[in-house]
Amino acid sequence: MNENKMNINWYPGHMAKTKKQIMEDLKLIDLSIEVLDARIPISSQNPDIGKMIQNKKRLVVLNKSDLSDQEENTKWVQYFKKKQIPAVLVDSVTGKGIPEVIKAIETIYDKSYYDLKGRVGKSIRVMILGIPNVGKSSFINRLVKKNIAQVGNKPGVTRQKQWTKIGNKIELLDTPGVLWPKLNEKNAMYLAYTGTIKDDVLEITEVSYQLLRLLVKDDKVNLMQRYQLQEKEWSHIFSNHETTKNEKIVKLMELIGKKRGALISKGEINYERVAMILLDDFRSGKLGKITLEKVEEK
Ligand SMILES: Nc1nc2c(ncn2[C@@H]2O[C@H](COP(=O)(O)OP(=O)(O)OP(=O)(O)O)[C@@H](O)[C@H]2O)c(=O)[nH]1
Ligand SMILES: [Mg+2]
């Protein structure tokens, strides 16, 4: 992997400014909701979040849980619970999990909190935080049940603080805080697989190749099904003692390419095309529900 390509400057020059803005906004709120990608709950988390929100209450939303493995989802909820952080599984496209989020917010801020703060009858003030593309806007739209935030858009430049009421107990700061992920080599690759790091800054054949390496280990069944691979085709590649692991993965890419007709001419494989197919299939969930970061590894 090319080192220069890995060390992407996500928000050149804006990082300090963004952080300052978030720190300002955080002063106004009671509870921060951290939106994570359920397929990569660690790599999609900002490592400084704990320090940033300090003694504020926290809630984790494991978003895109429709794309991740159900068993792993449950394990991740337990993982955060052990750290005293309530976590809720959400699919912000369909709105699954949203009622549970509202319930969780209300549970975190029970009546005693307001009595203590002398804020009886006041609303809970909430802010959404998360790295780019994790689904903050989609989640906010679901939470307030209308399209106030623009999905798929880049964070805006000018901004006015606006609070949106959710029911009669919750007030939401309508601008989410965009955090930066930690970009060590491993995290960066996970973020590339999920499409958080844009393909034009990384070599897509390399990203796809590395993803396939991972999938071969844990998700053989998904690959076999999606590309209609035969067991004997698989073992022909993987039982060959004369090829290296790298060569085996390339052979598998070629096989998938043949199955999909991703050819340049005369049977020559179009690797870039295969790479696109694999990445699209993974990101859209066509390869099945797959969690890349497992709790056991943490
Ligand atoms: N399958 C699935 N897709 C989702 C979910 N939430 C968001 N998406 C998709 O993820 C992409 C990014 O969603 P956004 O809501 O724009 O993400 P964001 O965090 O606001 O992104 P920025 O504003 O760029 O920081 C869009 O294509 C959404 O449709 C989810 O729960 N499941
Ligand atoms: Mg957004």
Side-chain angles (χ1 to χ4, degrees), residues 136-137 150 153:
K136 298 176 296 298
S137 300
Q150 278 198 318
N153 260 8

Side-chain angles (χ1 to χ4, degrees), residues 25-296:
D25 290 343
L26 280 171
K27 286 182 197 152
L28 306 171
I29 59 130
D30 303 307
L31 168 73
S32 79
I33 300 184
E34 203 182 338
V35 182
L36 303 179
D37 185 325
R39 295 167 298 177
I40 49 167
I42 298 301
S43 291
S44 60
Q45 190 168 41
N46 177 292
D48 302 326
I49 183 92
K51 257 184 276 157
M52 283 173 74
I53 60 176
Q54 290 178 15
N55 53 357
K56 302 277 179 200
K57 298 269 183 177
R58 268 171 101 167
L59 174 65
V60 158
V61 161
L62 291 164
N63 195 42
K64 308 199 183 186
S65 63
D66 55 309
L67 298 176
S68 52
D69 182 82
Q70 281 186 23
E71 257 176 60
E72 294 297 325
N73 282 347
T74 312
K75 286 186 194 166
W76 278 113
V77 169
Q78 291 304 319
Y79 168 92
F80 285 106
K81 201 173 166 187
K82 268 197 206 132
K83 293 181 177 279
Q84 320 291 331
I85 303 170
V88 183
L89 297 164
V90 172
D91 168 0
S92 293
V93 172
T94 62
K96 199 172 167 209
I98 295 293
E100 286 77 8
V101 170
I102 292 176
K103 215 161 86 191
I105 298 173
E106 291 177 351
T107 309
I108 289 168
Y109 275 96
D110 57 10
K111 188 179 167 299
S112 58
Y113 171 83
Y114 293 100
D115 291 347
L116 205 74
K117 285 220 161 180
R119 276 175 58 193
V120 185
K122 292 270 165 63
S123 313
I124 307 155
R125 294 198 194 118
V126 177
M127 182 180 177
I128 311 295
L129 293 168
I131 67 167
N133 204 44
V134 76
K136 298 176 296 298
S137 300
S138 308
F139 172 68
I140 288 174
N141 289 340
R142 281 290 167 186
L143 205 59
V144 302
K145 294 198 188 78
K146 54 181 189 246
N147 292 339
I148 57 156
Q150 278 198 318
V151 176
N153 260 8
K154 290 286 135 242
V157 188
T158 49
R159 40 168 296 163
Q160 261 184 328
K161 267 184 246 313
Q162 268 189 41
W163 299 91
T164 302
K165 271 228 146 177
I166 301 164
N168 52 13
K169 277 201 218 157
I170 304 166
E171 269 181 81
L172 175 73
L173 186 61
D174 75 343
T175 316
V178 183
L179 300 171
W180 49 99
K182 186 178 177 184
L183 284 187
N184 61 31
E185 185 148 343
K186 194 176 178 201
N187 288 352
M189 284 315 286
Y190 279 128
L191 293 162
Y193 302 147
T194 54
T196 308
I197 292 180
K198 296 284 171 284
D199 289 334
D200 50 359
V201 287
L202 287 165
E203 190 75 61
I204 83 147
T205 44
E206 176 71 13
V207 173
S208 175
Y209 164 85
Q210 297 289 355
L211 174 64
L212 194 55
R213 264 187 93 106
L214 268 187
L215 296 177
V216 160
K217 199 155 53 88
D218 291 330
D219 308 287
K220 174 183 169 185
V221 179
N222 302 61
L223 291 167
M224 300 277 290
Q225 271 178 6
R226 178 68 190 160
Y227 303 113
Q228 304 193 326
L229 310 177
Q230 309 299 316
E231 190 56 55
K232 70 170 191 290
E233 292 174 316
W234 184 278
S235 59
H236 180 71
I237 293 173
F238 289 97
S239 309
N240 185 346
H241 300 299
E242 274 152 33
T243 55
T244 63
K245 179 78 191 274
N246 288 3
E247 287 165 340
K248 290 181 173 68
I249 301 296
V250 173
K251 287 262 177 259
L252 182 58
M253 280 184 95
E254 288 169 356
L255 179 59
I256 293 170
K258 270 182 210 145
K259 297 265 175 179
R260 278 312 180 87
L263 307 169
I264 296 168
S265 63
K266 294 190 192 114
E268 204 191 318
I269 301 293
N270 184 342
Y271 290 98
E272 203 158 305
R273 192 74 204 99
V274 180
M276 290 292 283
I277 289 170
L278 271 165
L279 290 173
D280 280 350
D281 285 351
F282 170 72
R283 290 170 186 168
S284 64
K286 289 191 191 108
L287 260 175
K289 295 175 188 293
I290 295 173
T291 301
L292 293 178
E293 283 183 321
K294 314 275 196 300
V295 172
E296 286 84 35

